[in-house]
Structures are given as structure tokens and as C-alpha cells.
């Protein structure tokens, strides 16, 4: 596997030998920040195009096909439209909170975005509590949603925001417990260590039955956290106009839109990292020739391949099931996912204690 | 105990029914897409149905003959005054009674609602609607058409 840290270390050494430490660090911070923000936008644009194409295919349509070959510039055109639109000031809103809310949503997802391991040696933040960090900052976004609903001074926005809050509080439990199951198996919360632990076999296969159950529960809970159909109650068009972002226009609406797609990406990449080995290629113990061939595929491609696969699953779910009612939504979490998850965690602990994993 | 049993059974039933939904959408994902890419496919795969009423025409055969007897029933049946049949009297060659023949068959596409009443009521089946639908033009006068061709005459019925 090519280790990208050779490049990053070389740049670091080059800057430190030519500049005082403060300026070297300052340049590195700025460069890393710019790269994160640029990646954030590019991935969001790609995701929007990807989603529109896939959802069109599920509905027997072709999707965007006019702007550029196969419509690949459609989301760029949408972005330009969004950028030149007016931000309409609304009377009788709490101005400060109203303008603050989109940044909360956006910053929460950028913070989580920074901790994702992109490839071998391509990780910006590698805490020893990586999973915990990602879970906590990605759920900060709901504060932004609640603020948006509250500050809009609008019944529908408020209901949408409250639903979003209830939904996130419920499903965060399941997501956390499902990840905890794998933390029990791996014995570490640091993302790089977890990926290293999946060198021979991904955790999904190492932990067999409890890991598969945790994987499915994490996908359901993560899907619900991103507020996307069939869990899109906070922005249910037919009931609440557009939910918490009814009053937003122009770039502010764009921020919500961007954050929604990036949250989908973040959930998919956490699932890929924790259950499917992140950038780690598919290795089978004993088949050395096969493993060597798999190692030739760059780690970044492995990562993106897994993430795209998981997002396909997410879109498939989105276009298959009708929207849940709010009580059914809470039923699903509190009566089904949570008890199953707790039993599953116990099973995983037993499996780990007796060493029944691969 | 019964409720625990029902609880567990309900989970499996739910998974089964969700899987059925997945199966349907999975099949749909790979079906042929029905989107018509109109301006590109107008020469290739575009199919307009035969019964689509796009434009009134009067078919002429190879001898430049039509079947219109200039009776004017279509003109009387038209709710919008779209059709105007202008007839003329022609002296018979053998010196018999003068005969009424079609001179001009005016049709205003801009006024037509494509109700098909003219075609239904035509006793000699001289006119019909064809399925050409690209009727947009830049000036309204271009929509005023004369359906009978220059120098055409009525097809003589075989007497025997």
C-alpha cells in the first residue's frame, strides 16, 4: 500500500527547514483548511449529481442529462444559481439566531469531515477517541436545525425542528451503541488503530453475527440521523412546507442543502471505516496472491468505493420506503432497535470474552 | 410469553416485507428508462401514436385526386369556424347539369381544437387527422392552410 504520509511528511520537513515553526504550522493549517473546504464542496456537488441520477433510475427516468455530457455539470449550474440568489431578510425573526443557524449545521459537518481517514496516511485528525469525536460533533448539527426552526418564528419550521431533535436524540443512541459493539471488538476508539486491526479481515466479518446486526442497525440509525427519507419528517413537504429551512433562501439554504448531503457522506464513511475497513483493501487470510493484487488498488479508491456502495444502499432505502409517521419512528427506535442493540452488545462482549471471533 | 413471541415474529415479518420492497425497487432500477429525449430522438426513436390528432389533411392519390365533394358538412360541424369550403359550379362536358366541385378548402390550424367532428361527419372520408405535432411557426398567417392541392380534382366514382 502506498503510504501518503511520505508526501505529507516531506512537505512538513520542507516547510520547517525553510521557515520558523510558527509560519510553517500556519501555512500547513491554511492549506489543510482550504483542502478540506474544497473537498467538502466538490464532494457535495458530486453527491448531488449522483443522487439525482440514482433516484431518477429508481423512478424509471434518466435524470439530469442536458447540462454537459450526461448532465454532469447540472449540480455546478445549480450551485451557481444558488450563489447568485438573494438572501431574503424575514421580518419578525430572531435575526442573530436566524443567521447563525446555517453555520452551526455546516461547521458541525465540517468538523466531522476533518476526522475521516481518506487513505493510507491521509487523515487530518487522528484522536485516540476518534469515533467518539465524530459521533459528538456530527450530532452538533441538530443544534443548528433547532435554532433554525426556533428563530424562523414559524409554526411549521418549529415543528420540523422539534421532530428533528426528537429523531436525533433517539437514533443517536442506536448509532452510538452499534459503534460501541465494534469498539468492544477492536478494543480501541482511534480510527487509525481500528483500520489497522482490520488488516486481515474486516470487522463486519471478524465479528460475524453481532457485527452484521450492528452494521444494519448503524445504517438505519445513521440514515435517520441525516433526516433523509423515509425518515425525512423534519422536512416533510406534504405536512410542513419545507420544515426547518422554510424561511431560508439563497446561500443560507445552500448551506443546509450542502450539510445534508455531506452528513450522508460522513455517515457512510464512518460505516465504511468501522465495519468495512476504511481504506483497507479486502484481504483473505491465506490467499497471498489475491491480497497482493488487492494491495495494488490505491487506498483512496478503496475508501471511496466503499462509501459509494453504502450511499447506494442509503438511496435505495430512500426510494423504496414511504415516510414514517412520528410515533412509528419512535416505536422503531425505542421498541425495536434499542433492545436489539443492547442484547447485541452483550452478545458481542460474550463473543470477545470467549474469543469466538476470527 | 405470547407477547414476546409476537414481538420476535413481528421483527422477522417486517424484515421480510421490507425485503419485498427492496426487490421491487431493485428491479425498477434496471428497467428500460421511459424518458423521451425529444429534440434528439425525433428522427430515431420517437413514436407518435397513430390516433394522435395533430393536423388536418386531405389525402390525394397519385393522380392528384381527392375525395371531397364540397358538400360543406365539415364546415357546418366545425365548432370554431376553422374550416371554410369554397366551391364552384362547373359545366358538365356532355352538356348535362352543372356540377358543384371543390375550389378551395381553407383550414386554419390556429383556430382548430382537434375535436375530430369534421372527420367523423365527412360522408366521403375525404379528410383525416395525421399525427404530425410539430406545428409551431413564427407568424400566425402560416397556420392558414389550403388543404386541396393545386389543380386537383375529385375522384370519380366507378359507376358500374
Amino acid at each position: 500500500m502506498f503510504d501518503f504520509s511520505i508526501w505529507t511528511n516531506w512537505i512538513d520537513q520542507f516547510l520547517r527547514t525553510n521557515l520558523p515553526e510558527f509560519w510553517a504550522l500556519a501555512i500547513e493549517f491554511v492549506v489543510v483548511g482550504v483542502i478540506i473546504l474544497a473537498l467538502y464542496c466538490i464532494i457535495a456537488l458530486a453527491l448531488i449529481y449522483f443522487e439525482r441520477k440514482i433516484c431518477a433510475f429508481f423512478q424509471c427516468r434518466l435524470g439530469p442529462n442536458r447540462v454537459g455530457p450526461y448532465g454532469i455539470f447540472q449540480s455546478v449550474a445549480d450551485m451557481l444559481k444558488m450563489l447568485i440568489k438573494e438572501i431574503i431578510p424575514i421580518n419578525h425573526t430572531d435575526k442573530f439566531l436566524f443567521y447563525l443557524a446555517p453555520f452551526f449545521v455546516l461547521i458541525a459537518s465540517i468538523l466531522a469531515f476533518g476526522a475521516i481517514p481518506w487513505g493510507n496516511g491521509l487523515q487530518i485528525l487522528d484522536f485516540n477517541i476518534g469515533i467518539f469525536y465524530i459521533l459528538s460533533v456530527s450530532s452538533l448539527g441538530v443544534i443548528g436545525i433547532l435554532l433554525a426552526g426556533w428563530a424562523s418564528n414559524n409554526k411549521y419550521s418549529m415543528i420540523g425542528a422539534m421532530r428533528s431533535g426528537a429523531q436525533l436524540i433517539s437514533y443517536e443512541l442506536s448509532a452510538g451503541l452499534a459503534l460501541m459493539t465494534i469498539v468492544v471488538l477492536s478494543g480501541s476508539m482511534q480510527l487509525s488503530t481500528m483500520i489497522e486491526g482490520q488488516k486481515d479481515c474486516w470487522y463486519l466479518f471478524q465479528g460475524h453475527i453481532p457485527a452484521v446486526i450492528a452494521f444494519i442497525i448503524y445504517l438505519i440509525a445513521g440514515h435517520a440521523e441525516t433526516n433523509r427519507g423515509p425518515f425525512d419528517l423534519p422536512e416533510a413537504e406534504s405536512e410542513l412546507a419545507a420544515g426547518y429551512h422554510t424561511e431560508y433562501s439563497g446561500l443560507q439554504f445552500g448551506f443546509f442543502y450542502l450539510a445534508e448531503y455531506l452528513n450522508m457522506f460522513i455517515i457512510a464513511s464512518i460505516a465504511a471505516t468501522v465495519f468495512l475497513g476504511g481504506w483497507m483493501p479486502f484481504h483473505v487470510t491465506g490467499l497471498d496472491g489475491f491480497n497482493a493484487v488487492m494491495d495494488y488498488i490505491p487506498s483512496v479508491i478503496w475508501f471511496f468505493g466503499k462509501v459509494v456502495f453504502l450511499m447506494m444502499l442509503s438511496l435505495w432505502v430512500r426510494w423504496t420506503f414511504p415516510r414514517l409517521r412520528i410515533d412509528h419512528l419512535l416505536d422503531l427506535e425505542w421498541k425495536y432497535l434499542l433492545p436489539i442493540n443492547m442484547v447485541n452488545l452483550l452478545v458481542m462482549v460474550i463473543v470477545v470474552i470467549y474469543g469466538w471471533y476470527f | 410469553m405470547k407477547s414476546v413471541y409476537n414481538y420476535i415474529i413481528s421483527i422477522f415479518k417486517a424484515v421480510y416485507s421490507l425485503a419485498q420492497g427492496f426487490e421491487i425497487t431493485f428491479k425498477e432500477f434496471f428497467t428500460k428508462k421511459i424518458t423521451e429525449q425529444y429534440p434528439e430522438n425525433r428522427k430515431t426513436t420517437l413514436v407518435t401514436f397513430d390516433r394522435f390528432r395533430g393536423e388536418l389533411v386531405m389525402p390525394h392519390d397519385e393522380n392528384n385526386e381527392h375525395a371531397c365533394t364540397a358538400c360543406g358538412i365539415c364546415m357546418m360541424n366545425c365548432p370554431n369556424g376553422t374550416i371554410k369550403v369554397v366551391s364552384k359550379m362547373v359545366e358538365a362536358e356532355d352538356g348535362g347539369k352543372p356540377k358543384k366541385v371543390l375550389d378551395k378548402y381553407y383550414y386554419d390550424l390556429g383556430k382548430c381544437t382537434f375535436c375530430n367532428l369534421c372527420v367523423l361527419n365527412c360522408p366521403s372520408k375525404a379528410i383525416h387527422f395525421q399525427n404530425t405535432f410539430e406545428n409551431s411557426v413564427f407568424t400566425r398567417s402560416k397556420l392558414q392552410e389550403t388543404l386541396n392541392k393545386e389543380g386537383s380534382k375529385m375522384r370519380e366514382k366507378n359507376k358500374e
Side-chain angles (χ1 to χ4, degrees):
Chain A
M1 286 260 81
F2 180 74
D3 192 353
F4 284 97
S5 59
I6 296 170
W7 290 1
T8 49
N9 283 337
W10 184 82
I11 294 170
D12 185 50
Q13 289 300 322
F14 177 77
L15 285 174
R16 276 169 196 271
T17 47
N18 292 313
L19 287 169
E21 188 173 359
F22 172 77
W23 286 108
L25 281 179
I27 288 176
E28 280 172 18
F29 290 158
V30 170
V31 167
V32 166
V34 167
I35 288 175
I36 282 194
L37 288 178
L39 257 182
Y40 192 87
C41 298
I42 291 168
I43 287 177
L45 289 182
L47 270 183
I48 292 169
Y49 171 72
F50 176 74
E51 195 206 346
R52 290 182 63 176
K53 255 327 202 201
I54 298 291
C55 80
F57 272 60
F58 275 123
Q59 294 170 348
C60 214
R61 301 184 283 120
L62 284 175
N65 58 358
R66 293 287 135 158
V67 191
Y70 300 100
I72 51 172
F73 298 123
Q74 179 66 50
S75 47
V76 179
D78 283 350
M79 180 196 69
L80 288 179
K81 186 199 76 172
M82 202 77 94
L83 286 178
I84 58 179
K85 265 189 162 177
E86 185 189 359
I87 295 178
I88 301 167
I90 313 278
N91 290 336
H92 310 299
T93 55
D94 188 329
K95 287 279 187 308
F96 177 68
L97 294 184
F98 187 76
Y99 291 119
L100 187 68
F103 291 102
F104 254 100
V105 178
L106 195 70
I107 287 171
S109 70
I110 290 178
L111 283 177
F113 195 68
I116 294 171
W118 298 98
N120 195 358
L122 280 183
Q123 189 176 6
I124 294 153
L125 292 171
D126 191 14
F127 293 138
N128 52 0
I129 48 160
I131 287 285
F132 186 57
Y133 168 78
I134 288 186
L135 269 179
S136 48
V137 292
S138 64
S139 50
L140 273 180
V142 77
I143 298 178
I145 291 174
L146 281 172
L147 279 185
W150 177 258
S152 295
N153 196 11
N154 168 342
K155 288 176 249 185
Y156 292 141
S157 300
M158 191 64 220
I159 294 172
M162 280 309 184
R163 282 181 178 184
S164 180
Q167 191 171 323
L168 195 112
I169 288 167
S170 321
Y171 280 85
E172 194 66 43
L173 275 172
S174 276
L177 279 175
L179 291 179
M180 214 47 68
T181 315
I182 297 304
V183 170
V184 168
L185 179 62
S186 75
S188 165
M189 278 184 153
Q190 191 169 3
L191 288 174
S192 55
T193 326
M194 291 184 91
I195 293 172
E196 209 51 47
Q198 304 181 62
K199 200 162 67 182
D200 297 326
C201 189
W202 298 346
Y203 282 147
L204 185 65
F205 306 124
Q206 269 189 38
H208 50 92
I209 298 167
V212 169
I213 295 173
F215 183 58
I216 293 167
I217 290 178
Y218 181 74
L219 288 184
I220 297 172
H223 195 84
E225 273 182 52
T226 52
N227 293 335
R228 295 163 59 73
F231 304 103
D232 58 348
L233 297 133
E235 43 195 296
E237 307 79 27
S238 49
E239 303 155 28
L240 300 175
Y244 57 88
H245 55 58
T246 309
E247 308 288 357
Y248 285 90
S249 55
L251 197 55
Q252 290 179 316
F253 172 72
F255 281 174
F256 280 117
Y257 198 53
L258 215 65
E260 186 195 321
Y261 280 92
L262 257 297
N263 282 335
M264 183 170 112
F265 181 83
I266 289 165
I267 293 293
S269 53
I270 295 172
T273 306
V274 174
F275 293 95
L276 301 180
W279 48 261
M280 197 53 91
F282 184 70
H283 285 162
V284 180
T285 333
L287 297 174
D288 289 332
F290 177 76
N291 294 349
V293 170
M294 287 291 148
D295 280 343
Y296 276 111
I297 303 173
S299 52
V300 180
I301 292 181
W302 272 107
F303 176 75
F304 275 100
K306 288 167 191 173
V307 171
V308 165
F309 168 73
L310 290 177
M311 281 190 305
M312 279 286 297
L313 280 184
S314 153
L315 291 174
W316 189 10
V317 170
R318 181 176 179 188
W319 294 106
T320 302
F321 302 129
R323 183 184 300 136
L324 274 76
R325 218 168 61 194
I326 185 78
D327 59 325
H328 290 166
L329 182 90
L330 297 177
D331 266 9
L332 174 67
E333 165 61 24
W334 295 99
K335 289 189 184 167
Y336 293 93
L337 292 187
L338 195 61
I340 293 173
N341 220 333
M342 287 180 161
V343 171
N344 191 39
L345 185 59
L346 273 180
V347 171
M348 184 54 112
V349 169
I350 292 166
V351 162
V352 171
I353 287 174
Y354 286 97
W356 290 337
Y357 56 89
F358 297 113
Chain B
M1 217 49 224
K2 183 79 178 164
S3 62
V4 174
Y5 175 76
N6 283 341
Y7 174 81
I8 290 166
I9 288 297
S10 73
I11 293 174
F12 284 101
K13 275 186 179 165
V15 169
Y16 176 69
S17 79
L18 293 180
Q20 281 179 317
F22 273 132
E23 190 196 345
I24 288 172
T25 41
F26 188 73
K27 279 181 193 158
E28 193 65 23
F29 190 77
F30 293 103
T31 49
K32 197 169 166 290
K33 306 296 170 251
I34 55 164
T35 308
E36 293 276 0
Q37 293 190 287
Y38 166 58
E40 287 86 15
N41 76 348
R42 55 187 291 202
K43 294 282 191 293
T44 50
T45 58
L46 181 66
V47 177
T48 319
F49 294 98
D50 290 338
R51 292 195 298 175
F52 182 81
R53 302 204 280 263
E55 189 185 11
L56 189 67
V57 289
M58 180 181 281
H60 288 62
D61 60 14
E62 64 274 11
N63 303 326
N64 201 15
E65 287 176 339
H66 55 75
C68 181
T69 57
C71 61
I73 291 176
C74 49
M75 178 166 67
M76 282 184 274
N77 273 294
C78 183
N80 311 321
T82 305
I83 299 169
K84 194 178 174 204
V85 179
V86 179
S87 56
K88 62 183 177 190
M89 302 302 281
V90 175
E91 293 292 330
E93 286 162 9
D94 52 0
K97 281 200 290 185
K99 214 176 155 192
K100 184 173 156 190
V101 295
L102 182 67
D103 184 22
K104 293 279 184 204
Y105 192 102
Y106 292 118
Y107 168 60
D108 187 353
L109 185 55
K111 278 186 196 167
C112 184
T113 57
F114 311 102
C115 63
N116 212 24
L117 283 177
C118 47
V119 177
L120 286 177
N121 286 293
C122 182
S124 44
K125 297 188 171 43
I127 49 179
H128 75 92
F129 271 106
Q130 71 179 23
N131 60 3
T132 53
F133 62 93
E134 292 166 335
N135 291 329
S136 334
V137 286
F138 283 101
T139 47
R140 216 187 317 169
S141 59
K142 281 187 185 162
L143 291 174
Q144 285 158 1
E145 300 171 8
T146 309
L147 292 191
N148 59 330
K149 287 182 187 158
E150 199 62 44
S152 62
K153 62 178 196 295
M154 201 188 84
R155 194 179 304 131
E156 295 292 335
K157 283 186 190 119
N158 282 336
K159 292 282 166 58
E160 61 266 22

